[in-house]
Amino acid sequence: MLKEATLVPTPEENPLAAPEPPAPPRRRRTWGQKFKVAFRGVKLGVRGHSSFCVHIFFAALVLLTALALGCDRLEWCLLIGCIGLVLTAELFNSTIEMLFRGFPDELKKQTWPALNIAAGGVLLASLTASVIGLIVFVPKFLPRLRQLAEWLGIS
């Protein structure tokens, strides 16, 4: 097949040719547009992923428990930070899963361990959050358990 002739030589054909003018700069997105895109990303990440329902359930349970036990400001910060850590890890895991689904079968065979690594990241974030939750909640539960035991006449 013959190559089509062009009137303008390419830089490889004529190194002295003037370079193409740069593309006009893209308009910068406003902060509102950036937040809209980010919230749409969260919505896409949450929708259709059953593990998010589990994480949201436990997040609500943690928040209600913290409210009932009268956690202080630092404890609230730790608990909310842990919730954010787990949900963020789950969003990244969902991203990798979505990308993986679009790969051709040959590429899936080579890259499937990435799914396990991403799931391991969610597990590690969840275990870390659980340990921090225990550190915050156990000292608050113990006095209440002692009171309950005394009330029941167990102690």
Side-chain angles (χ1 to χ4, degrees), residues 93-113:
N93 183 45
S94 297
T95 301
I96 291 170
E97 287 176 358
M98 288 182 78
L99 287 171
F100 186 81
R101 282 189 218 119
F103 289 167
D105 289 339
E106 193 59 37
L107 188 56
K108 285 182 181 179
K109 291 176 187 174
Q110 297 171 353
T111 58
W112 68 265

Side-chain angles (χ1 to χ4, degrees), residues 5 18 23 30 52 63 68 80 84 86 92 95 106 135 137 147 149-150:
T30 65
F52 253 102
L63 295 175
I80 292 170
V86 172
F92 283 123
T95 301
E106 193 59 37
I135 292 170
F137 289 145
Q147 289 173 347
E150 289 173 8

Side-chain angles (χ1 to χ4, degrees), residues 123-138:
L123 177 64
L124 185 60
S126 298
L127 290 174
T128 302
S130 297
V131 169
I132 291 172
L134 288 172
I135 292 170
V136 169
F137 289 145
V138 167

